[in-house]
Amino acid sequence: RLGLGLGIKLGWRGMGFARTGKVALWTLGTMVVGNSAYLLYGAIASGATAGRLSLGDAGATVPGEYALNTAQLVALLPHSVFVLSIATVLFNQLSRAQAAGDLEEVRYTLGSGLRTIGVATVFGAAALVVLAGPLGRLFAGSGATAAASAATLGQVIAILAAGMPFMSIYFFLGRVFYAEEDARTPLIMQAILSGSCVVLALAMARLVPATQVAYGLAVLYAAFHVLSVLLAHSFTRRRLGDYGAGEVVDTYIRLGYAALGSGLAGAGGLWLLGGYDDGGFPLRSILTAVVSIAAVGTVMAAAYLLLLWLLRVRELHEFLAPVLNRLPGRNA
C-alpha cells in the first residue's frame, strides 16, 4: 500500500557491516579488558575465605566475594533503573547531532544529560548509604549471625554507593564517543583505568589482611570511579571543548547539599526505628527491613524533593517532566 518495492538482496556490500564490525571489535576489546580486571578482583576477594577460616566461628561475618558482588548489584540499582533509561534517550540525540556535525548540540545534550542524571544518582547514593544496613539484611539469610552479617554487608554497600554517581558520569561521557562511532577511545580509557586499578589491587592484596580485603576492594572501586570521571573529562574536553563542566559541577554541589539534608532526615528516622541498636527493628528480619526501607526511603525522598525545590535546582523539573506529562490533566 505504501509502494515499497521489497526484494531479496544477495551479498554483503552496502549493508554497513564493515563499519559496524570495526566498532564492534573495539567494543569487544573494551569488554575483555574490563572483565579481565574484574576476574582478578574476584580472585583477590576470594582470599577472604582463608581469613574467615582462621577466625573460626567469629569469621562467619567476614565479607568475601559474595558480599562484594551482592553489594555491587545493590549499589548499581539507581544507575540501572534511572541512568540507563535516560541515557538511552539522550544517546539518540547525541547520535543525530554527531551525524549532523552539530557539536554545539552535542555539548548541550551532554551537559544537560549529566545534570539530569545527577538528580537520581546523588539521591540514590545517599539513600543507599543511610539504608545500607536494612538493605544488607535482605541478603543476609537467617540464623544467629544474620544481623551481624547484614551490618557487615551494609558497610560494603555504603562504601560502593558513595562512588556510584561518578560511575554514571563516566558511563554517560563514554556515550559521546560511541555516538560518533568511535569505540577506540573508550578502549584506551578502559585500558588505562583497568591497568592502574589492577596494580593497586595487587598491592592492596599484599598489604591488607584477608579479613579486610573486601573492604579494601570496595574502597578501590569507589576511587576507581572518581578517577574514571577525571580521565573521561580530559578526553571529552579534548574532543568537544567546553561542554559546560563548570555548570555540571555546580549542579552536583547543590544536589549534594540536598542529598546531605535528606540523608540526615533518613538517619534520624532510622535511629527512631532502632536501626543503630544491636538487634534493632530494621535488622530483626527481612520483613522489618523492608518496612524500614519503605518508611525511611519515603522520608528521604520527600526531604530531597523539598530541598531541591528550595535550592531552585531546575534539573528536578527536567528529570520529572516525562512522568508528570503522563498524569491525567497534564499537557505535554
Side-chain angles (χ1 to χ4, degrees), residues 37-52 62-69 72 201 204-205 209-218 221:
Y38 274 104
L39 285 175
L40 175 64
Y41 306 150
I44 294 174
S46 65
T49 303
R52 189 181 298 118
V62 172
E65 189 174 5
Y66 168 77
L68 190 62
N69 290 338
Q72 278 189 289
M204 185 272 301
T211 54
Q212 304 295 318
V213 71
Y215 296 120
L217 283 172
Y221 288 171

Side-chain angles (χ1 to χ4, degrees), residues 33-308:
V33 171
N35 289 333
S36 297
Y38 274 104
L39 285 175
L40 175 64
Y41 306 150
I44 294 174
S46 65
T49 303
R52 189 181 298 118
L53 293 175
S54 68
L55 294 177
D57 293 339
T61 59
V62 172
E65 189 174 5
Y66 168 77
L68 190 62
N69 290 338
T70 302
Q72 278 189 289
L73 292 176
V74 174
L76 271 172
L77 280 173
H79 175 85
S80 302
V81 174
F82 297 106
V83 178
L84 289 180
S85 302
I86 297 172
T88 299
V89 176
L90 295 181
F91 180 73
N92 294 330
Q93 297 180 20
L94 287 172
S95 298
R96 284 195 295 268
Q98 288 280 22
D102 189 352
L103 292 184
E104 188 62 35
E105 178 65 20
V106 173
R107 286 189 284 264
Y108 172 79
T109 302
L110 177 60
S112 175
L114 287 172
R115 297 193 304 272
T116 301
I117 64 175
V119 175
T121 58
V122 174
F123 172 73
L128 289 172
V129 169
V130 172
L131 295 171
L135 286 167
R137 184 64 184 86
L138 300 180
F139 304 94
S142 58
T145 62
S149 297
T152 299
L153 180 56
Q155 292 170 355
V156 182
I157 291 174
I159 295 171
L160 290 173
M164 282 300 125
F166 295 95
M167 190 206 74
S168 297
I169 294 173
Y170 172 72
F171 172 85
F172 195 66
L173 287 173
R175 300 309 96 181
V176 172
F177 302 100
Y178 287 116
E180 195 181 348
E181 297 187 12
D182 173 16
R184 180 173 175 268
T185 300
L187 173 58
I188 294 173
M189 291 192 296
Q190 185 65 57
I192 295 172
L193 293 168
S194 294
S196 303
C197 207
V198 162
V199 172
L200 292 174
L202 291 173
M204 185 272 301
R206 297 178 66 89
L207 298 175
V208 176
T211 54
Q212 304 295 318
V213 71
Y215 296 120
L217 283 172
V219 172
L220 186 62
Y221 288 171
F224 169 83
H225 294 320
V226 176
L227 176 63
S228 68
V229 170
L230 297 176
L231 182 66
H233 165 73
S234 175
F235 275 83
T236 305
R237 184 70 181 264
R238 192 179 308 166
R239 181 69 56 88
L240 295 179
D242 183 16
Y243 59 89
E247 190 175 356
V248 171
V249 172
D250 178 69
T251 298
Y252 273 76
I253 290 174
R254 286 184 289 148
L255 292 174
Y257 285 136
L260 178 60
S262 172
L264 292 174
L270 193 63
W271 176 76
L272 290 175
L273 292 174
Y276 302 106
D277 300 330
D278 187 18
F281 178 79
L283 301 182
R284 200 168 296 166
S285 67
I286 293 178
L287 178 60
T288 60
V290 171
V291 172
S292 301
I293 291 169
V296 176
T298 300
V299 171
M300 291 188 68
Y304 186 64
L305 293 174
L306 175 61
L307 289 169
L308 290 183

